[in-house]
Amino acid sequence: MPASHMNQIIAALPLDRSAAEPLFRQLYGAIKAAILAGSLPPGMQLPPTRDFCRLLGVSRQTVLNAYAQLAAEGYLDGAVGRGTFISAAVPRPVPPAAGAPGLLRPLSARGQGVVTAMRQVAFHRGPLRAFRVGMPRIDHFPFDVWNRLEARRWRRPDHQFGYSDPAGFLPLRELLCVYLKASRGIHCTPQQIVITSGSQQALFLLSTILLAPGDAAWMESPGYRGASGPLRAAGARVFPVPVDAQGLDVAYGVARCPQAKLAYVTPSHQMPLGVSMSLPRRLALLAWAARSKAWVVEDDYDSEYRYAGAPLASLQSLDRDGCVVYVGTLSKVLFPGLRLGYMVAPPALAEALVQAKAVMDRHTAIVPQMALADFIAEGHFGRHVRRTRDSNAQRRDALVRGIARELDEQLTCGPADSGLDLCAYFRGGHDEEAVSRAGLARGIELRPLGHYADPLAGPACIAPPGLLLGFAAIPPAEMAHGLQELGRILRGR
């Protein structure tokens, strides 16, 4: 390469003297990029450092530091008195293929299943607004207390700050045993509890290790789409089972898919219809599972928020055959960003889940677990649940009264005795999707009940047209505005 052309390449190397990145790092990156692009080819000799300094207006030390880093990474070769050369070991660049870059090769069938499994799940986007579903009241959380508890743990690091037990922080699991026995009737040992990075990870782990590709799994329809995603990602054949006023229709599942290996249910507060599974249905489900040697995954996602009497006893508390895996989350009772959940497994399954958890991410972040253990032990958790339950009940009452006052001729409410959301059915003939789109155009979120139906489900597994309306996180003024806008939409104004 002619010296004049070499000088042009060097003089054109991009350096920004106003940037925070040191000049030698910028020079290192620019030379490296030129080598990989082929404009500085293998075997070519670089000019002496003094010439480099003159062309770029930098100090000799800057050039020496950049050369040293490039040599350490194998891009340059050189010796005193011989000069500095682009390493001959650097391969010449291959021209890119025509067209837009794509995958090197197609995803595996399993990978494609994982990627597409959650495609139909709706995620929260943008600022909070009426009537966002599944959101707790975050401004009620005592973040000052939480910050103090975390800071105290950070100030006293110990051996727990190394790699920890994949099952989770033992004091937290011990406290959860006490709490679950008192609140949900669950009898378990700390060895049966596995702390997860949210309940979504628990569902993925269970789907992965309990089901083989092609195994059938019952799924409530309408139901939580975030649970059908992990099932499909595991290669399971999801079989929709309808839900009525008594919960999952067990007889329907037994008659049409008796060979299922797993059933996913939300018995305390069905998502999204809000019904509770009746005792006869619970007993029938457990009898089928014991008879068929099938697993039952009980997702108890918001049982803390029951507004009429004490929380219902869990399905797990009725299990005598080791069929039920109880899944809980702290996203609804604390704050979603915490990403802490847990499983209570039958003793025979617990160790396998711990090993699977270790494969996935070794263990969940330890300091939030420590802070949560302190939060529970010092009584903050119980106080927060009671305070938030009262706040949620007030907002639930405001929504029910507002619907009765503003929209009684348009909507009829489903069960409203628990949870963070209210199911409301259309009295007249409205198109759910059209109503939802109109709501977004007016600045409100309206989740159609049809969103929760399995796309392959028959008519028996589809709820009547309606909406799921979140209330727990919505301030009264925003709720009133949302009801006014919803009224205008439904009345065609």
Side-chain angles (χ1 to χ4, degrees):
M1 177 183 294
S4 59
H5 185 46
M6 164 76 76
N7 291 344
Q8 290 176 1
I9 293 175
I10 292 173
L13 293 176
L15 297 178
D16 182 0
R17 287 168 171 76
S18 65
E21 185 179 25
L23 277 177
F24 89 90
R25 291 293 305 180
Q26 295 185 49
L27 180 57
Y28 149 80
I31 296 174
K32 175 180 173 180
I35 293 172
L36 294 175
S39 53
L40 295 177
M44 191 192 75
Q45 183 174 10
L46 293 178
T49 55
R50 288 188 180 84
D51 293 348
F52 231 117
C53 297
R54 177 178 53 79
L55 289 167
L56 291 173
V58 296
S59 71
R60 187 163 181 261
Q61 192 60 50
T62 295
V63 179
L64 290 173
N65 288 343
Y67 274 19
Q69 184 65 35
L70 289 162
E73 295 183 13
Y75 293 98
L76 299 182
D77 293 324
V80 175
R82 190 169 64 86
T84 302
F85 297 82
I86 308 298
S87 173
V90 177
R92 294 183 179 274
V94 178
L103 286 173
L104 181 65
R105 60 184 302 275
L107 295 176
S108 68
R110 181 178 57 187
Q112 190 62 47
V114 171
V115 168
T116 60
M118 298 286 280
R119 189 164 287 170
Q120 301 302 316
V121 177
F123 296 97
H124 295 157
R125 291 182 173 85
L128 179 68
R129 52 190 173 180
F131 293 92
R132 179 164 291 177
V133 303
M135 275 294 293
R137 184 176 175 180
I138 295 177
D139 65 345
H140 232 43
F141 186 76
F143 285 103
D144 55 339
V145 173
W146 186 268
N147 289 339
R148 175 172 57 80
L149 295 176
E150 275 211 351
R152 186 172 68 190
R153 288 290 183 172
W154 284 118
R155 286 194 299 270
R156 302 174 186 173
D158 58 22
H159 70 281
Q160 296 282 357
F161 276 43
Y163 289 109
S164 300
D165 187 342
F169 187 48
L170 180 58
L172 174 58
R173 290 185 282 136
E174 292 171 339
L175 288 163
L176 285 174
C177 282
V178 176
Y179 167 70
L180 291 170
K181 180 179 179 181
S183 65
R184 310 295 293 118
I186 291 175
H187 293 271
C188 65
T189 67
Q191 288 67 40
Q192 290 176 251
I193 295 181
V194 182
I195 305 298
T196 58
S197 301
S199 62
Q200 197 67 35
Q201 185 184 62
L203 296 176
F204 185 81
L205 281 168
L206 291 167
S207 300
T208 301
I209 74 166
L210 298 182
L211 297 172
D215 282 349
W218 290 0
M219 176 71 201
E220 297 171 328
S221 183
Y224 175 48
R225 298 294 291 278
S228 61
L231 292 171
R232 288 195 165 91
R237 180 168 59 86
V238 176
F239 183 81
V241 179
V243 177
D244 59 22
Q246 296 188 63
L248 184 83
D249 189 341
V250 179
Y252 182 100
V254 171
R256 291 166 173 80
C257 188
Q259 76 281 11
K261 298 295 190 293
L262 181 146
Y264 169 85
V265 290
T266 52
S268 293
H269 181 231
Q270 202 276 332
M271 178 67 172
L273 303 184
V275 300
S276 298
M277 187 181 289
S278 68
L279 180 59
R281 291 279 179 88
R282 291 175 183 237
L283 296 175
L285 177 61
L286 292 174
W288 164 78
R291 186 172 62 249
S292 303
K293 293 183 168 40
W295 297 102
V296 176
V297 176
E298 177 182 14
D299 189 346
D300 204 25
Y301 64 100
D302 65 358
S303 62
E304 288 84 2
Y305 299 132
R306 183 168 175 81
Y307 312 119
L312 301 177
S314 66
L315 183 66
Q316 192 268 5
S317 67
L318 298 173
D319 180 23
R320 298 294 177 267
D321 297 287
C323 300
V324 176
V325 183
Y326 178 93
V327 175
T329 180
L330 295 154
S331 294
K332 309 301 184 189
V333 68
L334 299 180
F335 54 97
L338 184 61
R339 304 312 303 146
L340 281 179
Y342 55 92
M343 296 178 280
V344 180
L349 179 63
E351 182 58 26
L353 285 171
V354 172
Q355 296 303 324
K357 165 70 175 172
V359 170
M360 178 168 285
D361 64 355
R362 189 59 178 83
H363 62 79
T364 295
I366 191 64
V367 173
Q369 293 186 65
M370 291 175 163
L372 177 56
D374 296 339
F375 192 75
I376 296 172
E378 295 181 10
H380 306 296
F381 183 82
R383 286 190 292 273
H384 176 64
V385 170
R386 291 190 294 273
R387 183 170 61 247
T388 309
R389 185 187 293 128
D390 292 342
S391 169
N392 289 353
Q394 292 171 7
R395 292 188 172 184
R396 184 246 0 219
D397 292 345
L399 179 58
V400 172
R401 288 195 303 268
I403 290 175
R405 182 179 62 251
E406 305 277 348
L407 297 165
D408 187 54
E409 81 285 5
Q410 299 288 342
L411 296 175
T412 181
C413 295
D417 55 357
S418 58
L420 308 175
D421 314 301
L422 175 67
C423 175
Y425 300 99
F426 295 138
R427 290 186 184 273
H430 294 286
D431 183 303
E432 290 178 328
E433 294 295 337
V435 170
S436 177
R437 288 193 298 272
L440 284 177
R442 294 170 181 253
I444 60 175
E445 294 182 18
L446 303 170
R447 183 70 61 79
L449 291 182
H451 167 79
Y452 298 94
D454 190 289
L456 303 178
C461 298
I462 299 174
L467 304 168
L468 188 65
L469 305 174
F471 57 80
I474 312 303
E478 178 68 17
M479 188 180 296
H481 167 73
L483 286 170
Q484 290 174 357
E485 293 297 334
L486 178 56
R488 294 188 181 102
I489 293 169
L490 295 180
R491 295 184 183 102
R493 296 176 184 172

